[in-house]
Amino acid sequence: MKILILATLLFIAFNAQAQIDTTLLRRTTADTSKRKMNMDAIYNRPMLQSGKLPVSLGGYVEANYQHLGTDGISEGHQFQFRRLTLFVASTISSRIKFLSEIEFEPADKEISVEFAAVDVEFHPLFNLRGGMIVNPIGAFNQNHDGPKWEFTDRPISAEKMLPATWSNAGFGVYGKYYQNRWLLGYELYLTSGFDNTIIENEFNRTYLPAAKANAERFEESNNGEPLITAKVAVKNTRFGEIGFSYMGGIYNKYQEDGFKLDDKRRLDVFALDINTRISKTGTAFTGEYAWIFVNVPDTYSQQFGNKQHGGFLDIVQPLLKDNLLGWRNAVLNLACRLEYVDYNVGRFKETGENIGDEIWSIMPAISFRPNPQTVFRLNYRFQKQRDIFTNPAVNTAGFSFGISTYF
Amino acid sequence: MNKNHFAVIGLFLLLITIIISCQKLEPSAPAEDSILDGPVENLTSAQNIQHLAGDVGFNGQVFTAATGLGPVFVATSCGSCHAGDGKGHPFTTLTRFGKNDSLGRNEFDHGPQLQERALPGYAPEKLPVGTSFAKFTPPINSGLGFIELVSEDDILAMAAGNFNNPDGVRGHPNWSLLPTYIKIRPGSENQGNRYITRFGKKASTYNLLHQTILAYNQDMGIASSFDPSDVFTLLDTDPEISDKIVREVVFYLQTLKAPIQRDQHNSDVITGKDLFVQIGCESCHKQTLKTGISPVSALENKEFHPYTDLLVHDMGPGLDDGYTEGSAKTSEWRTAPLWGLGLAPKSQGGQFFLLHDGRARSIDEAIRMHGGEALVIKNRYNALQENEKQKVIKFLNSL
């Protein structure tokens, strides 16, 4: 059934284009002006618009080849079609716009609406947003489009500690203020949220992404408690941007039909994100670090930690910016991603010693961008993972090569 | 073409070369003798398929409330306690308590195993005040298929062999009552309704199916068609695991390879082994046992080297915790197999937690805690020169 829907969607999407005289298409390339912040990533995408039609279309694809091995066991040649995402945006009337992002991940046989919200602008400082919202925790969650990154995989801390892409039904307000070189942005949303699976799951660890499997959250909150997400970011057009974000609320189902099931248990997440560029060398730094605090019952297993933290730092150095192989403004980058996650911060009650469950990864990369919307990337991952007892690490390493592009 | 074109083309050629040489840049496998998991050699492909399925059940299946965990439990998967099929850690050490009567009934309803953890919303069990208890640290799970195939005649012969042991070593098989789901092997020895049991630190389970069903039920609160009782209500409930998965997990255990000795040609190791035998450690820690017939030909009629006699021995007051199982006395413990001993730190977080409850923090300490039937022999070890002791330990570390 899902396949059918997708096929229809694709058909409409492509036909819509096919029937239009392409000379009428206007490419609204992403606005890279310095007025944009991470919070604008959702709208700040290249889209196609036809004539005076109020609707613009866009999307991106991501596909990879991967050859990874773990302690002598190779996965062999893996060909992956990670995802296809379609954006549909429209300006309904002045100051009312709509944008949706529909993602198809064939491996999960899943079509999901990642974002579908109506924005009403009252004042640059005050806008309303309602619908399916991408919670602004850290910067990656809102800024997750494949073609933006030099790496085929999403950061571990963003996807396997924080639950990128994490979106929920809800509403809230956002706004921006600028003066000279400074921009200040804020977002505040109330949405549906997490559930008991973050500590009752088959990953055998506290795992926020486990809550993504519960699609019911789009219809009915598991406990009737809102998840609050708030973010403040400051940008200086010369130095870069720094963001502080918070997401939290009661995650567990503590009562049903008036019967008490458990105490109320909270989840609190704090994140810090930065991006900056050294103008002299063009070196770009993008990073994010998050701290998670979960109220896990004392009498539950220590396998499920009550604290986690982790993050990533991407360093991207353009090597060549030139007319390459006939592409004007093509760029060749050298990059490296450093990652770390401690899934279980704490000490064993029995021994007082550190609980492990940690992962490190270093990923050098070469990427080639024939234009800003398209990236070819070659990554070599070297990763170490230790179990909760801090036994000798399991080593994983190998190459991936991928292409990702907006269309 | 300018030189930039060459650069780009060059890079992509490099890329292709790298991809072709891929596998060389991936981490190599650890040496076979440095890990405990992995199947015995020469399984048929059908047996490999079954072993892999059991591996998934053992290591991959993590139970949750939704799949039957608890509501009171000790851990969430077999693999959580038996990481890499190696020895466990104080965090995975479990507690058993109470006293059993002659019919094997525990004085407490909720026994013998303490369900010390609970799902959110439930309270875990507390140890009844003043009762005796013992702690059990998970043992190595490798090579158990060989141990399962040692004939009862051989076990009885080892007990009989100690009849007049001048060092005071005795030992006997543990005779236990069996649950009804156990299919007794044809010709199995019995004393009334009690049978020879061999697995566990008190040697209180009959075979790997028995141990597995107990683990599902008592360690994770998973009811099966074999033992449908619920740990919380003590009433029968629906199976939470299929018979098929249980059988696959049992097959997985049966076909785990025997731990492989390292450095056996090292001269210190050879001297250490000679000393080990000379001072009488082998009276209990029997080097070589053999299997009988088996449907798995890779296990059939094989000699193997577990360093145990599968008997329980009185280890003296120091190791008497006042808790027991089967016909073993409270001070009696099954001779711990010593194979894989040197690999213990690889699954115990870089340290040693030895003896039944992990109280010994080094091999030397484990030996010095021997008493009872092992007293005379332990004293001989104590009387060795320091460098001789080191050689014994080096030998034990090579196992």
Side-chain angles (χ1 to χ4, degrees):
Chain A
M1 186 58 208
K2 284 183 180 166
I3 305 280
L4 208 82
I5 298 175
L6 178 88
T8 329
L9 261 176
L10 276 177
F11 183 76
I12 294 171
F14 288 127
N15 261 6
Q17 292 192 7
Q19 287 165 8
I20 299 169
D21 175 355
T22 49
T23 54
L24 297 176
L25 288 176
R26 202 151 40 85
R27 184 166 273 285
T28 56
T29 39
D31 175 0
T32 48
S33 84
K34 295 187 168 171
R35 285 273 164 97
K36 297 293 173 190
M37 303 177 75
N38 274 320
M39 63 185 280
D40 302 310
I42 295 277
Y43 276 101
N44 189 25
R45 287 160 157 164
M47 300 232 188
L48 278 176
Q49 203 175 11
S50 162
K52 291 211 161 64
L53 267 185
V55 177
S56 40
L57 285 178
Y60 70 89
V61 282
E62 252 183 302
N64 305 320
Y65 162 84
Q66 182 177 295
H67 203 291
L68 276 180
T70 298
D71 285 346
I73 299 178
S74 179
E75 286 176 0
H77 305 278
Q78 300 290 333
F79 302 89
Q80 305 168 325
F81 185 85
R82 284 270 165 86
R83 53 183 69 84
L84 169 73
T85 300
L86 298 174
F87 318 130
V88 180
S90 76
T91 302
I92 298 166
S93 73
S94 70
R95 306 218 312 255
I96 301 185
K97 37 180 195 168
F98 169 80
L99 186 136
S100 66
E101 175 181 349
I102 295 163
E103 184 169 274
F104 177 61
E105 294 190 339
D108 300 334
K109 289 209 181 60
E110 204 173 72
I111 300 175
S112 55
V113 180
E114 301 244 283
F115 183 88
V118 178
D119 283 20
V120 186
E121 300 172 11
F122 292 104
H123 182 274
L125 255 179
F126 188 78
N127 305 272
L128 270 182
R129 173 175 286 172
M132 179 83 91
I133 287 167
V134 179
N135 302 59
I137 184 72
F140 185 88
N141 199 42
Q142 282 182 318
N143 212 344
H144 58 257
D145 291 1
K148 292 194 173 164
W149 303 85
E150 319 308 310
F151 305 89
T152 58
D153 291 336
R154 292 177 166 185
I156 302 167
S157 62
E159 190 178 38
K160 300 209 161 80
M161 182 184 80
L162 295 175
T165 310
W166 175 238
S167 53
N168 283 290
F171 64 91
V173 293
Y174 67 92
K176 258 192 324 195
Y177 174 77
Y178 11 50
Q179 193 160 42
N180 305 330
R181 293 181 169 280
W182 292 92
L183 282 88
L184 177 77
Y186 78 91
E187 291 171 88
L188 175 68
Y189 302 110
L190 296 183
T191 63
S192 51
F194 292 90
D195 58 45
N196 294 39
T197 60
I198 67 173
I199 63 160
E200 291 182 27
N201 59 58
E202 295 178 5
F203 301 92
N204 222 10
R205 61 165 63 104
T206 298
Y207 196 65
L208 270 47
K212 288 205 289 182
N214 176 17
E216 272 174 31
R217 70 181 194 277
F218 303 128
E219 174 67 31
E220 186 183 346
S221 160
N222 119 86
N223 57 7
E225 296 281 343
L227 179 72
I228 297 174
T229 314
K231 181 164 183 184
V232 183
V234 185
K235 182 171 172 178
N236 178 298
T237 48
R238 194 165 339 144
F239 299 118
E241 180 173 341
I242 181 162
F244 304 92
S245 45
Y246 165 81
M247 171 169 80
I250 288 163
Y251 69 88
N252 69 330
K253 189 169 200 150
Y254 55 88
Q255 61 100 15
E256 178 144 39
D257 295 341
F259 291 91
K260 181 180 173 189
L261 304 180
D262 192 8
D263 298 335
K264 289 187 181 180
R265 300 188 187 280
R266 287 192 64 82
L267 158 75
D268 296 287
V269 184
F270 300 88
L272 173 72
D273 60 82
I274 54 144
N275 53 67
T276 182
R277 185 187 295 270
I278 302 177
S279 42
K280 212 169 184 183
T281 56
T283 322
F285 297 85
T286 307
E288 170 178 312
Y289 208 90
W291 294 262
I292 298 176
F293 301 85
V294 185
N295 178 335
V296 179
D298 261 358
T299 49
Y300 194 52
S301 176
Q302 291 173 86
Q303 195 90 39
F304 297 84
N306 53 14
K307 283 191 218 100
Q308 302 184 319
H309 58 74
F312 71 95
L313 177 67
D314 284 6
I315 307 165
V316 182
Q317 176 64 55
L319 288 182
L320 284 174
K321 269 190 194 175
D322 210 342
N323 181 346
L324 295 176
L325 302 173
W327 282 299
R328 278 180 297 146
N329 300 325
V331 183
L332 187 71
N333 293 307
L334 199 62
C336 188
R337 170 175 289 169
L338 307 171
E339 303 183 74
Y340 172 69
V341 175
D342 186 344
Y343 285 109
N344 197 334
V345 179
R347 301 192 162 270
F348 280 113
K349 286 180 199 153
E350 291 80 4
T351 59
E353 283 164 5
N354 177 38
I355 302 178
D357 207 0
E358 291 158 291
I359 186 164
W360 297 260
S361 161
I362 299 181
M363 190 153 51
I366 300 172
S367 72
F368 175 65
R369 291 181 176 272
N371 59 59
Q373 277 89 43
T374 305
V375 59
F376 295 87
R377 47 204 176 186
L378 171 70
N379 306 158
Y380 175 74
R381 183 190 280 284
F382 181 75
Q383 171 185 305
K384 279 183 172 288
Q385 181 159 22
R386 290 203 303 182
D387 68 6
I388 66 168
F389 308 110
T390 66
N391 285 320
V394 172
N395 300 313
T396 300
F399 281 95
S400 57
F401 174 73
I403 175 166
S404 183
T405 183
Y406 284 110
F407 53 79
Chain B
M1 271 212 201
N2 62 23
K3 63 177 195 291
N4 286 343
H5 289 98
F6 286 113
V8 172
I9 291 167
L11 268 168
F12 276 84
L13 284 179
L14 175 75
L15 185 161
I16 289 161
T17 332
I18 287 174
I19 287 181
I20 290 166
S21 59
C22 262
Q23 223 148 335
K24 299 213 178 64
L25 287 154
E26 292 176 9
S28 55
E32 194 55 26
D33 60 10
S34 73
I35 49 171
L36 290 167
D37 53 352
V40 287
E41 272 175 28
N42 301 326
L43 291 183
T44 64
S45 49
Q47 290 164 343
N48 278 332
I49 293 169
Q50 239 188 313
H51 179 93
L52 278 174
D55 194 350
V56 172
F58 188 88
N59 288 303
Q61 191 168 21
V62 175
F63 290 94
T64 63
T67 51
L69 179 68
V72 287
F73 62 94
V74 188
T76 50
S77 74
C78 306
S80 311
C81 289
H82 297 286
D85 295 305
K87 283 180 185 289
H89 182 271
F91 166 61
T92 56
T93 293
L94 50 82
T95 304
R96 299 204 187 122
F97 63 97
K99 290 195 178 66
N100 293 323
D101 66 16
S102 58
L103 292 172
R105 286 182 308 217
N106 196 275
E107 65 179 310
F108 299 100
D109 278 351
H110 284 261
Q113 198 159 301
L114 184 68
Q115 303 297 323
E116 60 197 298
R117 301 188 174 106
L119 291 176
Y122 288 85
E125 290 178 7
K126 291 228 163 59
L127 201 59
V129 219
T131 186
S132 48
F133 65 92
K135 292 195 171 248
F136 293 75
T137 300
I140 287 171
N141 271 348
S142 310
L144 299 185
F146 293 94
I147 290 186
E148 194 178 39
L149 291 169
V150 174
S151 75
E152 294 181 355
D153 286 347
D154 285 359
I155 297 177
L156 289 168
M158 287 187 278
N162 294 340
F163 179 60
N164 260 330
N165 182 297
D167 296 330
V169 172
R170 297 291 177 268
H172 63 88
N174 195 352
W175 298 91
S176 307
L177 300 167
L178 302 184
T180 49
Y181 61 79
I182 292 295
K183 234 169 108 186
I184 289 154
R185 286 180 288 262
S188 212
E189 301 286 339
N190 64 306
Q191 287 188 348
N193 52 357
R194 288 175 179 268
Y195 291 84
I196 295 179
T197 48
R198 64 181 77 187
F199 290 106
K201 310 246 167 163
K202 287 270 184 196
S204 59
T205 59
Y206 185 74
N207 56 17
L208 292 169
L209 175 71
H210 188 185
Q211 184 75 40
T212 300
I213 294 303
L214 271 183
Y216 275 119
N217 196 278
Q218 290 291 305
D219 299 350
M220 303 185 286
I222 298 298
S224 58
S225 73
F226 301 93
D227 181 352
S229 65
D230 176 66
V231 276
F232 188 64
T233 59
L234 303 183
L235 301 172
D236 286 0
T237 180
D238 300 322
E240 292 159 328
I241 180 106
S242 73
D243 290 10
K244 178 167 177 284
I245 297 180
V246 169
R247 301 282 184 203
E248 286 163 352
V249 167
V250 170
F251 188 82
Y252 167 78
L253 292 168
Q254 285 169 332
T255 48
L256 279 171
K257 71 178 189 211
I260 303 167
Q261 196 187 355
R262 300 156 306 285
D263 300 329
Q264 57 265 58
H265 304 300
N266 177 296
S267 63
D268 286 354
V269 168
I270 294 170
T271 320
K273 181 174 178 180
D274 291 345
L275 286 165
F276 178 87
V277 175
Q278 264 171 39
I279 60 178
C281 306
E282 220 203 340
S283 306
C284 298
H285 295 285
K286 291 278 193 296
Q287 183 181 174
T288 304
L289 301 180
K290 63 176 196 301
T291 65
I293 53 166
S294 163
V296 180
S297 62
L299 297 172
E300 196 165 36
N301 295 319
K302 291 274 183 316
E303 280 202 342
F304 62 104
H305 310 291
Y307 295 88
T308 177
D309 55 5
L310 302 176
L311 304 175
V312 292
H313 296 271
D314 179 349
M315 295 300 285
L319 289 171
D320 184 347
D321 297 338
Y323 167 81
T324 197
E325 293 165 359
S327 71
K329 297 191 191 69
T330 51
S331 61
E332 287 178 335
W333 295 96
R334 184 188 71 169
T335 306
L338 298 179
W339 61 3
L341 188 63
L343 300 179
K346 290 202 166 192
S347 63
Q348 299 190 310
Q351 322 175 47
F352 278 108
F353 295 99
L354 301 179
L355 298 178
H356 61 273
D357 54 2
R359 69 177 76 179
R361 303 305 310 279
S362 67
I363 293 179
D364 178 62
E365 193 177 2
I367 301 170
R368 284 186 285 107
M369 284 176 172
H370 282 50
E373 294 174 30
L375 191 62
V376 173
I377 293 166
K378 190 263 303 266
N379 287 338
R380 266 187 221 135
Y381 167 83
N382 282 342
L384 292 177
Q385 310 265 314
E386 191 49 40
N387 70 338
E388 292 173 319
K389 279 187 196 163
Q390 286 313 317
K391 286 173 186 162
V392 173
I393 291 170
K394 192 157 182 189
F395 158 66
L396 293 172
N397 256 320
S398 77
L399 294 178

